[in-house]
Amino acid sequence: MAILARSYNLAFHHEVDDAVTQVPEVADSVFPVHLCAVEDVAEGAAIGIEKELSGEQHAFIVTCADGQIHAYHNVCPHAGRRLDWAPGRFLLKDRVLVCAAHGASFRIESGLCTGGPCQGDHLARVGIEIENDEVLLTGL
Ligand code: FES
């Protein structure tokens, strides 16, 4: 718990981009897009991936729970902010990912918000496939 509290302090002292993040449209023809290797995502962890698609920058969260890979837009359903407190750095404990902006808590296996200002909402899941131990983005 002390580690999480210290992380909160870091989060609230970190400059968070004030711009609300929108998810631009991307043509289906750009997919599949390589996100990472399966081995890059440890059990219970979350990593951040940045990709330029059709000339627009996109941010994703890739997680692993019970050996299953999940991927979401790095956009909080509360106010549209990124969830990381620094690029690719997330507040995460016991499979709960906490948004650095206002503290909403999300289960990494479902994206369900279980506490905070958008309780009951979900992170927006993106389509992925696993091929040859690589995680491929197949749609937004
Ligand atoms: S933007 Fe994530 S909790 Fe407000």
Side-chain angles (χ1 to χ4, degrees):
M1 196 59 179
I3 291 172
L4 190 58
R6 194 166 62 227
S7 296
Y8 271 114
N9 284 339
L10 282 173
F12 290 117
H13 287 97
H14 174 72
E15 287 288 321
V16 176
D17 184 5
D18 283 329
V20 172
T21 306
Q22 301 291 330
V23 178
E25 294 286 320
V26 175
D28 288 343
S29 57
V30 305
F31 301 109
V33 173
H34 181 263
L35 286 181
C36 61
V38 170
E39 69 180 14
D40 293 339
V41 194
E43 177 64 33
I47 65 170
I49 305 283
E50 310 278 337
K51 286 287 172 183
E52 185 179 315
L53 305 173
S54 299
E56 299 279 354
Q57 202 65 26
H58 292 256
F60 303 101
I61 304 167
V62 182
T63 71
C64 181
D66 294 324
Q68 295 292 309
I69 299 291
H70 306 272
Y72 309 95
H73 288 284
N74 186 358
V75 178
C76 181
H78 172 228
R81 305 275 188 88
R82 292 173 61 114
L83 285 86
D84 39 358
W85 58 269
R89 306 290 301 273
F90 296 97
L91 304 173
L92 179 65
K93 185 176 183 190
D94 298 334
R95 297 186 180 195
V96 174
L97 195 157
V98 178
C99 178
H102 311 109
S105 302
F106 299 89
R107 298 294 309 176
I108 65 168
E109 71 277 13
S110 64
L112 174 65
C113 180
T114 57
C118 52
Q119 188 167 355
D121 286 347
H122 285 80
L123 296 174
R125 191 178 284 273
V126 295
I128 57 169
E129 284 180 9
I130 309 298
E131 195 172 300
N132 299 323
D133 293 325
E134 301 292 328
V135 182
L136 304 177
L137 179 67
T138 58
L140 300 183

